[in-house]
Amino acid sequence: IHTFTSTGTFSVSSVDDGATLEYVIIAGGASGATKNQSAHGGGGAGGYKSSVSGESSGGGASALSAFAPDATDYTITVGAGGAASQMTNTTGLQGNNGTASSAFSISTTGGGGGGRAATTANNGGSGGGSGCNIHGNGGEGSGTAGEGFDGGARNDAGQFGIGGGGGGAGGAGVDASGTANGAGGVGVASSITGASVTRAGGGGAASVEGVGAGGSGGGGAGRLGTAGSATAGTVNTGSGGGALCGDGNVTNAFSGAGGSGVVIIRYAL
């Protein structure tokens, strides 16, 4: 088993006839959105593709076929997580998308940034969660087929509205419900390393009414408050970061950054 936590080279010196390898390829997760008050969506998880027999790819898709390598060098690209969005005083920013991962000419899409207030969330491997405010309503981002799910929807409850969670590789971001902000969507479990590990969860939403939890697999929870940061997606899981809702005129507050991706290869060549 070889786990790439950053970009590198997978070198194959010789291959037995008919030999194949299995892989899990996860792109970088997105960051959540941030702004003073209003409601903001969590970041979507990075796209997830697996060729492990009996397991799943993201978005509810089946595993892909195992890869038959040649005796050569393969470039393995591990995508970065989306950078945290900074809020200064009353301004805020949309969440930032993660970046793609790739191996063996197979690529996955970076997660979609969470939606700031009435700005529609970004599409991605998994979509960002929706935000809203008194001036309008945003929409959730869409996930990519075979890689991840859509972000969660907002609603108009509470003082300024309630946000939706970022999509996960294993399930959609949780919709706002009453005055409860949406949690991030769940990730996907894999036993490629021997033990079952869940990765690529979505980030939680945030509004003045509270915050949503991160999705299983490393998604970051939202945050409500003054200076500080929402929870980042866990490194090398491709998980989305949580949204931040500033409580008043906040200086130097940040959403949660997206978690970097990972490429895991299991072989007996």
Side-chain angles (χ1 to χ4, degrees):
I1 297 169
H2 196 118
T3 300
F4 285 87
T5 58
S6 60
T7 297
T9 302
F10 181 68
S11 297
V12 180
S13 58
S14 62
V15 183
D16 292 337
D17 289 343
T20 60
L21 55 79
E22 295 177 310
Y23 55 80
V24 169
I25 304 170
I26 308 175
S31 61
T34 180
K35 189 180 183 297
N36 182 53
Q37 301 178 348
S38 304
H40 316 294
Y48 185 114
K49 291 183 180 179
S50 171
S51 71
V52 179
S53 178
E55 296 187 355
S56 298
S57 291
S62 300
L64 302 175
S65 298
F67 178 72
D70 296 318
T72 189
D73 290 342
Y74 294 93
T75 298
I76 309 298
T77 301
V78 175
S85 293
Q86 181 177 7
M87 176 183 156
T88 302
N89 294 324
T90 60
T91 63
L93 293 171
Q94 193 89 340
N96 293 303
N97 285 16
T99 57
S101 292
S102 64
F104 315 121
S105 299
I106 299 158
S107 63
T108 53
T109 309
R116 174 186 68 89
T119 304
T120 297
N122 296 345
N123 301 331
S126 294
S130 174
C132 61
N133 63 14
I134 59 174
H135 302 295
N137 298 316
E140 59 270 26
S142 297
T144 300
E147 298 189 33
F149 285 87
D150 296 348
R154 81 320 173 259
N155 70 25
D156 300 327
Q159 186 175 359
F160 298 105
I162 308 297
V174 177
D175 295 343
S177 177
T179 57
N181 284 273
V186 299
V188 174
S190 176
S191 298
I192 189 171
T193 59
S196 179
V197 178
T198 301
R199 303 177 179 87
S207 74
V208 295
E209 274 71 33
V211 302
S216 63
R223 175 182 169 87
L224 168 63
T226 54
S229 298
T231 305
T234 302
V235 173
N236 295 128
T237 67
S239 294
L244 180 135
C245 178
D247 184 11
N249 291 331
V250 177
T251 301
N252 293 327
F254 298 83
S255 68
S260 51
V262 69
V263 176
I264 305 169
I265 303 167
R266 182 165 67 186
Y267 57 93
L269 303 177

